[in-house]
Amino acid sequence: MKIGIIGAGNIGGNLTRRLTALGHEVSVANSRGPQTLTALAEETGAKPVTASEAAKGAQVVVVTVPLKAVPDLPTGFLDGAAEGVTVIDTGNYYPQRDGRIAAIEDGLPESRWTEQQIGHPVIKAFNGTYAQDILDRGRPQGTPDRQALPVAGDDPAAKQAVRDLIDELGFDTVDGGGLDDSWRQQPGTPVYGNRGEADAITKGLAEASPERTAEFRA
């Protein structure tokens, strides 16, 4: 599968490592230019590109940049993607880093805001996952206590594509509902950073409160 990854930080870098190891054709971009991705490319075999090029021909595009950087993504960066491209949003709103985003402070789910900025539906996944776990905690399907990740989004086919990819990476998934329900996996909720199996994640999603905790409010 052709996969584009925009953002080569902890999550983006480790997804690049695992997805290339699984045989996917990965293009990776960051804000500083492909010349700064030489080491990651040599390590993984991924193709370093600009953010404008990352989605070219891709069936899946992962947007894994700070929320404050989302509005600065190149206009039309998804134009060259494969028809029906699935876009994964791994982002979280951290006001200390991102500044105050009024719509999110007023209750708009973070990924709905990202969707509005890029003009394309997104699937929320990996946002509460420790980056190192992507490398270290994947297990074969059916392994007892296999870690589960919540996945939220409105498009059933796109959501299933993401769940299949996560299964390939070695994790179970739990359906987190539509994107309007994705606040249930935002920072400060019971599933954020939760390494539990599917039952624990299901329980955590059900127990989430729509009120943002003080730590994650501007």
Side-chain angles (χ1 to χ4, degrees):
M1 184 187 295
K2 291 195 73 170
I3 299 174
I5 298 178
I6 301 177
N10 294 333
I11 294 287
N14 285 352
L15 283 174
T16 299
R17 292 177 176 93
R18 288 289 292 121
L19 291 168
T20 52
L22 289 166
H24 294 286
E25 183 181 342
V26 177
S27 295
V28 61
N30 65 7
S31 61
R32 294 176 295 147
Q35 71 280 0
T36 65
L37 295 169
T38 303
L40 182 63
E42 290 177 351
E43 175 191 348
T44 64
K47 181 181 180 181
V49 295
T50 65
S52 296
E53 300 168 319
K56 186 177 181 180
Q59 294 145 288
V60 173
V61 174
V62 183
V63 176
T64 181
V65 300
L67 250 67
K68 66 179 179 181
V70 169
D72 298 327
L73 291 171
T75 301
F77 74 95
L78 293 170
D79 288 354
E83 186 175 355
V85 62
T86 295
V87 179
I88 301 174
D89 170 36
T90 77
N92 293 307
Y93 171 53
Y94 301 124
Q96 298 85 350
R97 176 197 68 187
D98 300 315
R100 189 180 193 277
I101 298 176
I104 295 176
E105 292 284 345
D106 290 342
L108 186 70
E110 297 167 6
S111 287
R112 186 66 80 192
W113 181 86
T114 294
E115 180 181 84
Q116 292 175 357
Q117 303 305 306
I118 69 172
H120 192 282
V122 303
I123 304 295
K124 189 177 189 72
F126 298 109
N127 73 290
T129 309
Y130 293 105
Q132 193 62 32
D133 288 354
I134 294 170
L135 298 183
D136 296 344
R137 292 179 64 89
R139 300 290 184 269
Q141 196 175 65
T143 302
D145 300 325
R146 193 186 197 212
Q147 184 174 334
L149 310 184
V151 179
D154 296 332
D155 182 330
K159 188 189 289 185
Q160 190 58 54
V162 175
R163 297 182 74 174
D164 291 345
L165 195 64
I166 292 172
D167 179 52
E168 194 179 348
L169 287 164
F171 301 90
D172 286 339
T173 57
V174 172
D175 189 338
L179 208 63
D180 286 336
D181 299 313
S182 64
W183 56 266
R184 294 182 181 274
Q185 63 195 70
Q186 291 178 173
T189 62
V191 301
Y192 179 74
N194 190 325
R195 288 171 161 148
E197 37 66 55
D199 286 348
I201 299 303
T202 299
K203 182 173 183 285
L205 288 169
E207 292 176 347
S209 167
E211 293 296 320
R212 298 187 72 87
T213 60
E215 182 183 359
F216 298 106
R217 289 202 309 266

